[in-house]
Amino acid sequence: MAANMYRVGDYVYFENSSSNPLLIRRIEELNKTANGNVEAKVVCFYRRRDISSTLIALADKHARELEEEMENPEMRDLPEKQKHQLRHRELFLSRQLESLPATHIRGKCCVTLLNETEALKSYLDREDAFFYSLVYDPQQKTLLADKGEIRVGNKYQADITDLLKEGEDDGRDLEKMEEKIWDSNSSLTEKQIDQFLVVARSVGTFARALDCSSSVRQPSLHMSAAAASRDITLFHAMDTLHATGYDMTRAIAALVPQGGPVLCRDEMEEWSASEANLFEEALEKYGKDFTDIQQDFLPWKSLTSIIEYYYMWKTTDRYVQQKRLKAAEAESKLKQVYIPNYNKPNPNQLSNNVKPALVNGAAGTAGTAGTVGTAGTAVPGPPGSVPTPGLGRACESCYTSSSYQWYSWGPPNMQCRLCASCWTYWKKYGGLKMPTRLDGERPGPNRNNMSPHGLPLRHSGSPKFAVKTRQAFYLQTTSLTRMARRICQDIIRPRYMARHPYLPVNTAAIKAECALRLPDRPKKPLPLKPVERKPLESVVRYLEAHPRPSKPNPPTRGGSISTGSLTPIKSSPILNNGSPTILGKRTYEQHNGLDGAKSKVLAPQWDIMAKRVSEAVRPSSSLQDEVHELD
């Protein structure tokens, strides 16, 4: 019961797709809609597979810096498999909020801010445990360190000096290290100090009456007197009293100098009503993130001014009223919600009684001796063949061939699948258990990153993109199959089928036709003409005695060529079916400006003329001698 009860502040899994990994969110609010459904207002966490490769490179750089500062050397000695799985436990916090149906919750998890003193390996030992250290902004596409970092470690410790021995003098000048601003042992009594503060408030009220801007903001006498009673006026009065040596006459004279009474105003008076409304709106959106408040709402205010105004605003009645309204809203909202376990079957489950199709040799693998269907059921081969145990397509993650349930995974045309254990890992952690060749960490089947069009897809949080080779296999055919290829060539049409590999082949009809034609064929194979070949030693001696003649250099364009004994070169007509230009037919690369081989039609004919010149110079008698010797 407690496991299915979800409260505000819980980290939970959300499912938005049956084939994609689960989303990780933190519940901020639980609201009941008008139709009675429950919606959860959540904070988004992102995985490595959800951000761009550029930001992943920044995250890797941050991880390397963190690894260098690690006090535990075991992190550097982790095997590649555990490092691969540790990347699946890393999340990126965001300030983005979204509302999701509470019925899509699929369980709880644990997300913590990474601490430099804890071991990263501890996350691998716990189920549903994640960590984060960086903040991701989906709009700006930035990755920054979290401002709430816990500063724990040797570099954050204070350097404490040695304790002074008894009678040892401190060499520091204490007058430069501190400043005295009030003396409690002065000659004035408490009553005299309070009387002076009343005089200071009266002077401040009179100064506001003389100031034009203050008379507009505080049009009544009560508002001016209340503003003059604020802390800024009292602090100025006490500083003046201390600066005059606690002489009451000099202090009162300092309050009213030659130019008029002194007016002291704090941030509460400096801000207008519209600026105060903007601040309250920003505080509702960003909380106490004063940097974002300044950037988005009050760029003309300094950060010091905003922080000072915030702490003064908390002392006003406006803050008390908003706090009461928020408490009333919190009482009306849901505190927790019960979500039962989700027991519906996943659409990616593979059924165990699927009949395989009899096309393209699906009726037999390992040379028609037996195959395995899409669900792992063995299909017998043709009569007379030796049955071989078919294990079926293995799990793409752990390579196991046995599981109580299989799930389809990856592009549909690749027909990849995962076992039950690896499917649960994929849904929770967004990757495969074993490192793949995409990361350069293991050889093996690498079909899970290919799209239906042969393009690479992002894989399990890896920042690299590369086309992966398909899995190699060996097709061992039986003698009956090889015979059927020769006897039924008119039906199979091997050259046509080689150019159309996706057309189905009716293997059952070919086997039946082969069984009918086989008795009519001659029992003995046709005799082959024996070929007598010379030993290798004689071939080597001949090649040493007759080295290859050097190829003459082609004539340059500026040189003169005698063409009296050569027949003129007839240029073949240019057939252009695609482009009406006079350049003739061009390749795709030439049309699109890509680097490729030049068209044969556009190639210069100097190489052809040079070849004819060399053939004419070469004597024909030597050619005949070479032919006789080779025979």
Side-chain angles (χ1 to χ4, degrees), residues 64-72 76 116 155:
R64 286 193 296 269
E65 294 175 355
L66 186 64
E67 193 173 317
E68 292 175 358
E69 298 174 359
M70 277 287 183
E71 300 177 0
N72 189 2
R76 301 168 187 166
E116 294 181 2
K155 62 180 181 179

Side-chain angles (χ1 to χ4, degrees), residues 60 102-103 150 212 273 284 295 340 342 383 394 411 454 462 480 484 495 524 574 620:
D60 292 337
T103 53
I150 302 175
C212 297
E284 181 70 22
Q295 291 178 354
Y342 186 78
S462 174
L480 184 62
R495 180 170 295 184
K524 295 182 180 180
I574 299 174
S620 59

Side-chain angles (χ1 to χ4, degrees), residues 25-57:
R25 301 290 186 261
R26 185 181 68 223
I27 301 177
E28 291 293 308
E29 295 178 5
L30 291 171
N31 303 318
K32 202 167 188 178
T33 60
N35 54 4
N37 298 328
V38 179
E39 279 191 351
K41 189 177 181 181
V42 296
V43 175
C44 301
F45 286 84
Y46 292 87
R47 304 178 190 266
R48 295 175 68 94
R49 67 192 304 273
D50 300 325
I51 64 178
S52 63
S53 58
T54 307
L55 296 182
I56 289 179

Side-chain angles (χ1 to χ4, degrees), residues 467-607:
V467 178
K468 300 175 70 179
T469 58
R470 298 180 184 273
Q471 183 181 12
F473 65 95
Y474 174 65
L475 184 62
Q476 182 181 4
T477 59
T478 62
S479 57
L480 184 62
T481 304
R482 293 196 295 270
M483 246 191 272
R485 291 175 184 170
R486 294 181 177 273
I487 296 175
C488 304
Q489 280 190 0
D490 54 337
I491 301 177
I492 299 175
R493 295 184 299 169
R495 180 170 295 184
Y496 177 80
M497 295 308 298
R499 295 170 180 170
H500 302 80
Y502 298 105
L503 293 181
V505 178
N506 193 345
T507 56
I510 293 174
K511 291 173 185 175
E513 186 66 23
C514 178
L516 294 176
R517 295 185 183 183
L518 194 58
D520 300 335
R521 305 295 291 182
K523 302 298 181 182
K524 295 182 180 180
L526 296 176
L528 298 177
K529 183 179 179 181
V531 179
E532 295 182 1
R533 301 183 182 275
K534 290 187 177 183
L536 181 61
E537 297 178 357
S538 60
V539 176
V540 171
R541 285 197 301 268
Y542 172 78
L543 291 177
E544 292 176 353
H546 300 80
R548 181 180 178 182
S550 59
K551 187 176 180 180
N553 296 327
T556 60
R557 189 175 293 272
S560 60
I561 300 177
S562 176
T563 57
S565 61
L566 301 178
T567 57
I569 302 174
K570 296 181 180 180
S571 59
S572 58
I574 299 174
L575 301 178
N576 185 10
N577 298 325
S579 176
T581 61
I582 62 174
L583 295 179
K585 191 172 182 180
R586 305 174 69 190
T587 61
Y588 173 81
E589 291 80 3
Q590 291 173 338
H591 272 296
N592 292 274
L594 302 177
D595 296 334
K598 295 183 180 180
S599 175
K600 293 182 179 180
V601 178
L602 301 178
Q605 299 179 354
W606 297 99
D607 294 340

Side-chain angles (χ1 to χ4, degrees), residues 101-305:
T103 53
H104 289 185
I105 296 177
R106 297 293 180 262
K108 294 181 182 180
C109 59
C110 177
V111 182
T112 55
L113 178 64
L114 181 62
N115 191 352
E116 294 181 2
T117 58
E118 64 182 340
L120 286 174
K121 190 179 179 182
S122 62
Y123 290 94
L124 296 177
D125 301 333
R126 292 178 290 162
E127 286 290 330
D128 305 318
F130 299 88
F131 67 89
Y132 76 94
S133 60
L134 300 175
V135 179
Y136 172 62
D137 188 351
Q139 280 76 30
Q140 302 295 331
K141 305 296 182 185
T142 57
L143 203 61
L144 302 173
D146 186 31
K147 297 176 183 177
E149 179 184 2
I150 302 175
R151 296 187 173 183
V152 179
N154 293 333
K155 62 180 181 179
Y156 299 114
Q157 303 302 318
D159 295 330
I160 303 175
T161 58
D162 297 334
L163 183 64
L164 295 177
K165 298 178 181 179
E166 187 176 356
E168 187 179 355
D169 186 19
D170 189 1
R172 298 175 295 176
D173 188 0
L174 299 181
E175 293 182 358
K176 295 181 180 179
M177 300 180 63
E178 58 187 14
E179 182 182 356
K180 192 174 184 178
I181 61 175
W182 183 256
D183 187 6
S184 59
N185 299 322
S186 63
S187 59
L188 298 177
T189 63
E190 292 291 335
K191 185 178 180 180
Q192 290 175 328
I193 295 174
D194 290 340
Q195 290 174 345
F196 178 76
L197 294 180
V198 171
V199 173
R201 293 193 193 98
S202 303
V203 173
T205 304
F206 180 65
R208 282 169 176 76
L210 297 178
D211 185 60
C212 297
S213 60
S214 297
S215 61
V216 174
R217 294 179 182 178
Q218 293 100 17
S220 65
L221 179 62
H222 294 286
M223 294 179 65
S224 297
S229 300
R230 297 187 63 82
D231 292 340
I232 188 68
T233 304
L234 301 181
F235 290 158
H236 175 70
M238 297 177 73
D239 291 341
T240 304
L241 196 61
H242 178 73
T244 56
Y246 299 95
D247 186 351
M248 190 75 70
T249 305
R250 292 173 54 195
I252 293 175
L255 291 178
V256 187
Q258 188 69 27
V262 176
L263 176 60
C264 301
R265 290 189 298 192
D266 56 11
E267 294 295 335
M268 209 67 186
E269 289 186 77
E270 293 288 348
W271 287 44
S272 63
S274 59
E275 290 174 341
N277 292 332
L278 279 176
F279 175 79
E280 292 179 1
E281 182 183 348
L283 198 66
E284 181 70 22
K285 182 177 181 180
Y286 292 121
K288 292 191 293 184
D289 196 342
F290 300 114
T291 305
D292 292 343
I293 291 175
Q294 180 194 24
Q295 291 178 354
D296 296 346
F297 285 86
L298 299 164
W300 59 90
K301 294 288 185 181
S302 65
L303 194 61
T304 306
S305 174

